[in-house]
Amino acid sequence: MVAHAKETDAIVLNCAEHGESDVIVTLFSQDAGRLTAIAKGAKKSKKRFVNKLELFSFLHITYQQKANRSLAFLAEAELHTSFLHIRQDLALYSIASVIREFLLIGVKENEPDLHIFRLSLWALHNFDQKHPPMTILALFLIRFFDYVGYRPDLQACMHCGSLVTAQNRYNFDTTIGSIVCSDCNPHSLKGLPLSLGTIKMLRSAQDQPLERLHRLKISGSILYETLSLLQNYGNQLFQRDIVSWKIVRTFMKTRK
Ligand SMILES: [Zn+2]
């Protein structure tokens, strides 16, 4: 059976050498979700794929895929942008790798998601333009959890239903994905404490159009609380260790 060539935009999430001359690349594609493809001869005769099959590269690809086969054949790749700054800066690279790991876990084959695709490109562009990377990471994750169906509930206490007020204190319970007020959780035994400032920032990050998301500024204790929450919530949701967090935490004291 002849497989017809298809075209789509795609972000490179992983590359692995295969045999003597081939490369297997894992992509987040706009039209097909996660896509694994073999680039024949990419290692030896590099002409066709030179400087293209690199982590985070944004490509336009032509590929063939037989029905019932998960491995596609990569015919051609054109480079939209390589996001070179990300690959030249270790801190930036590690922070972007948290996103890469989440995409590898969260994006499924044959399940395209334009929201997550646009959000990922938004984050990579902002990293590359040297916007504060920890802020970009936080904003990405707030929206990503939303798009995969686990929007954190920050409007009202999950137990008593009372709306957030300045008079009360709140913790975020990662096991239920919601805030709990101090009346219902008097000794703060459950969840991570969230200040009112953090709750407000998170809520506006949830509702901001993507074009305006980069305008949100997050710093100091709000950024710290936000990232702790997102790291814990992510671990809870996916039951997987995101390896890159470890390196990122070492940069957290110096980068915003
Ligand atoms: Zn309550």
Side-chain angles (χ1 to χ4, degrees), residues 2-252:
V2 180
H4 293 289
K6 295 177 190 166
E7 289 181 44
T8 182
D9 284 340
I11 301 162
V12 178
L13 297 182
N14 221 352
C15 286
E17 297 188 351
H18 182 75
E20 295 235 317
S21 58
D22 304 338
V23 170
I24 290 182
V25 53
T26 306
L27 303 151
F28 176 16
S29 72
Q30 181 173 322
D31 295 348
R34 183 188 172 115
L35 184 69
T36 308
I38 186 161
K40 288 276 186 190
K43 238 174 88 185
K44 274 190 173 166
S45 112
K46 290 195 165 177
K47 265 178 251 159
R48 214 159 24 133
F49 297 115
V50 67
N51 294 332
K52 291 172 185 168
L53 306 183
E54 305 279 351
L55 295 189
F56 306 113
S57 283
F58 179 37
L59 309 173
H60 185 80
I61 60 161
T62 308
Y63 69 101
Q64 286 158 321
Q65 192 170 29
K66 289 180 182 159
N68 311 321
R69 291 275 185 86
S70 75
L71 189 65
F73 170 78
L74 190 66
E76 273 177 73
E78 283 168 50
L79 194 63
H80 284 308
T81 171
S82 57
F83 298 120
L84 207 56
H85 291 142
I86 300 176
R87 296 214 309 272
Q88 290 170 339
D89 179 330
L90 181 62
L92 214 47
Y93 185 88
S94 307
I95 295 163
S97 289
V98 175
I99 288 181
R100 200 171 66 82
E101 285 189 59
F102 272 110
L103 292 175
L104 281 167
I105 297 171
V107 175
K108 304 277 182 273
E109 273 181 30
N110 299 314
E111 288 182 23
D113 189 310
L114 198 54
H115 286 299
I116 299 178
F117 193 75
R118 287 181 59 219
L119 178 69
S120 304
L121 285 176
W122 170 87
L124 294 175
H125 275 294
N126 277 281
F127 284 143
D128 199 51
Q129 287 162 16
K130 310 233 168 165
H131 287 282
M134 302 308 280
T135 298
I136 300 303
L137 173 62
L139 293 171
F140 171 90
L141 290 174
I142 294 162
R143 300 293 278 251
F144 177 73
F145 294 152
D146 200 338
Y147 294 148
V148 295
Y150 298 100
R151 180 186 175 99
D153 189 342
L154 302 158
Q155 304 298 325
C157 169
M158 185 66 139
H159 291 300
C160 67
S162 62
L163 295 175
V164 172
T165 65
Q167 282 71 49
N168 227 333
R169 286 174 298 105
Y170 298 89
N171 278 19
F172 187 83
D173 185 343
T174 56
T175 60
I176 55 173
S178 176
I179 47 170
V180 177
C181 79
S182 49
D183 291 338
C184 299
N185 184 30
H187 305 295
S188 243
L189 295 175
K190 270 192 210 160
L192 304 158
L194 283 192
S195 68
L196 190 62
T198 301
I199 292 173
K200 283 184 174 168
M201 190 287 300
L202 287 166
R203 293 208 298 216
S204 65
Q206 286 179 324
D207 297 326
Q208 207 68 231
L210 194 57
E211 308 79 64
R212 271 188 270 154
L213 198 57
H214 68 281
R215 293 191 202 164
L216 285 179
K217 305 270 182 281
I218 321 174
S219 59
S221 63
I222 290 184
L223 181 62
Y224 191 83
E225 267 184 14
T226 298
L227 286 167
S228 297
L229 172 135
L230 294 167
Q231 183 178 7
N232 280 283
Y233 191 42
N235 287 349
Q236 175 72 34
L237 289 180
F238 294 99
Q239 298 290 320
R240 209 85 71 86
D241 239 0
I242 302 293
V243 182
S244 310
W245 273 121
K246 209 173 182 180
I247 313 161
V248 168
R249 306 245 9 145
T250 64
F251 294 115
M252 271 182 70

